Amino acid sequence: MHMNDSELKSHKHDTISSLEIVSMEGRYYMARFYLDGQGYVLTNSDDKPMMFSGASAAREHFQNYHVASTEVIPPTGTDEMIGMPDADDDETMRVPL
């Protein structure tokens, strides 16, 4: 699911249980967050994922909200290597912030 910034402001007093700052090719970052057990991607007014220039910019965007935990999810470089076998585990690297 997705939620735009205006809708998010109506949840100012709710706790965001988890904020995941997802690296998009290491250049831009998008925010995925969880409210009441439901996951959302933060979108702009055009209903497209809001992109941030860095993980710190995404974190700052949520500074006025109560966020229980924040993690950065970096890209996995080996996913794009030609000839690499698929990994059996779907464990995503997560860096607490």
Side-chain angles (χ1 to χ4, degrees), residues 49-88:
M50 187 177 286
M51 294 297 184
F52 298 92
S53 59
S56 61
R59 184 178 181 190
E60 286 173 13
H61 188 83
F62 284 83
Q63 71 183 358
N64 294 322
Y65 297 92
H66 182 264
V67 179
S69 72
T70 303
E71 296 176 320
V72 175
I73 301 176
T76 305
T78 57
D79 288 349
E80 297 176 8
M81 289 184 172
I82 296 174
M84 291 292 293
D86 289 338
D88 289 336

Side-chain angles (χ1 to χ4, degrees), residues 2-92:
H2 55 86
M3 182 182 295
N4 67 37
D5 205 32
S6 296
E7 293 171 315
L8 179 60
K9 288 178 183 174
S10 70
H11 294 279
K12 196 104 170 151
H13 301 291
D14 297 335
T15 297
I16 295 172
S17 59
S18 177
L19 170 60
E20 298 174 340
I21 302 172
V22 183
S23 175
M24 306 302 289
E25 299 178 8
R27 183 170 179 181
Y28 296 106
Y29 296 80
M30 71 174 206
R32 186 169 53 209
F33 60 96
Y34 296 85
L35 277 168
D36 297 324
Q38 182 68 45
Y40 298 92
V41 170
L42 184 63
T43 59
N44 61 22
S45 59
D46 296 325
D47 207 27
K48 296 189 188 229
M50 187 177 286
M51 294 297 184
F52 298 92
S53 59
S56 61
R59 184 178 181 190
E60 286 173 13
H61 188 83
F62 284 83
Q63 71 183 358
N64 294 322
Y65 297 92
H66 182 264
V67 179
S69 72
T70 303
E71 296 176 320
V72 175
I73 301 176
T76 305
T78 57
D79 288 349
E80 297 176 8
M81 289 184 172
I82 296 174
M84 291 292 293
D86 289 338
D88 289 336
D89 61 9
D90 290 331
E91 185 84 22
T92 301

